[in-house]
Amino acid sequence: SILEVVKDFESLKLPLEYILDYIPQIKPRFFSISSGPCERNIELTIAVVKYRTILRRIRKGLCTDYIISLSENDKIRYKLQRNFLLNSSMKGKPIIMISPGVGLAPMMSLIKSGFFEDMHLFFGNRIKSKDFLYREDLEKWNDSNIIKLYTCFSRDPQNSPEAKYVQDVLWKHGKELGSLLAKKS
């Protein structure tokens, strides 16, 4: 960040009258809602940003650091945005959902909506034992034939020996996906 550069290079002198030109505005964070459309509570799926920079400083995400500091019953401001436009012409069609990591949130919302009948979810993350988000729900839905679940874990060859990334799983099931796209779209 600009602040880190200024702190690391103390000889750098930025003219004060231009300070607002150097500091970017805080952009809105569009955290994904993973709850169903009619659920009373809003559920968010968020990756907490916290890492060590090359200069060995801890860097935290502005909004995720704020969110993890919240306590139950704290009041927050939020704005809901509609991302999916579902219409009746889509009813009965298959849906192919591709989700790396916390990108699973909007897919969870679609699954919970009950709008689609033939749902195929391709989900990937790093390590199965640590990063298999919503594992119980997804496996239960897969076992109940609510969804067809395909997984892979990029840093876990024991649990994902044939595929490292989601695109590998897509490639592996290419004929099935091609059939879904060609026959049912």
Side-chain angles (χ1 to χ4, degrees), residues 2-184:
I2 297 291
L3 183 58
E4 288 172 328
V5 171
V6 171
K7 285 170 102 177
D8 290 334
F9 301 96
E10 293 175 7
S11 63
L12 182 63
K13 303 294 180 208
L14 298 175
L16 193 56
E17 62 266 20
Y18 297 112
I19 193 75
L20 293 177
D21 294 336
Y22 298 122
I23 301 173
Q25 282 187 334
I26 297 173
K27 293 182 176 42
R29 297 332 197 241
F30 298 110
F31 294 115
S32 294
I33 296 174
S34 47
S35 50
C38 295
E39 291 180 23
R40 180 175 167 88
N41 295 316
I42 296 172
E43 182 178 341
L44 303 176
T45 303
I46 301 167
V48 175
V49 177
K50 185 177 180 180
Y51 61 93
R52 196 173 294 277
T53 67
I54 292 174
L55 300 173
R56 314 297 266 158
R57 292 200 171 90
I58 292 180
R59 186 92 188 261
K60 297 177 182 179
L62 180 65
C63 286
T64 55
D65 194 47
Y66 167 73
I67 287 172
I68 62 173
S69 74
L70 293 173
S71 299
E72 190 172 339
N73 297 321
D74 282 352
K75 303 276 188 230
I76 61 168
R77 287 183 48 193
Y78 61 91
K79 178 181 177 183
L80 294 179
Q81 284 190 296
R82 239 189 176 156
N83 293 329
F84 297 114
L85 297 174
L86 304 176
N87 63 53
S88 59
S89 69
M90 300 167 139
K91 198 83 169 153
K93 306 276 184 178
I95 184 170
I96 300 167
M97 299 172 284
I98 303 167
S99 169
V102 295
L104 180 60
M107 309 312 158
M108 292 295 291
S109 188
L110 279 172
I111 294 166
K112 292 174 183 178
S113 76
F115 189 82
F116 296 95
E117 294 172 18
D118 188 9
M119 296 182 278
H120 300 258
L121 175 62
F122 292 82
F123 170 71
N125 216 329
R126 291 178 160 210
I127 301 170
K128 185 175 184 176
S129 63
K130 295 179 183 180
D131 303 315
F132 195 165
L133 306 174
Y134 300 101
R135 180 179 183 169
E136 289 178 14
D137 289 334
L138 293 174
E139 288 180 342
K140 179 180 72 175
W141 292 333
N142 184 63
D143 294 343
S144 303
N145 294 317
I146 293 170
I147 64 170
K148 188 158 185 188
L149 178 64
Y150 309 84
T151 61
C152 65
F153 302 94
S154 63
R155 306 292 189 271
D156 192 352
Q158 185 178 13
N159 287 300
S160 190
E162 296 179 16
K164 188 170 184 175
Y165 299 111
V166 172
Q167 58 266 35
D168 298 325
V169 182
L170 289 165
W171 187 257
K172 181 180 175 186
H173 295 279
K175 285 185 181 181
E176 181 181 351
L177 292 172
S179 176
L180 282 170
L181 292 170
K183 294 179 183 173
K184 296 186 179 182

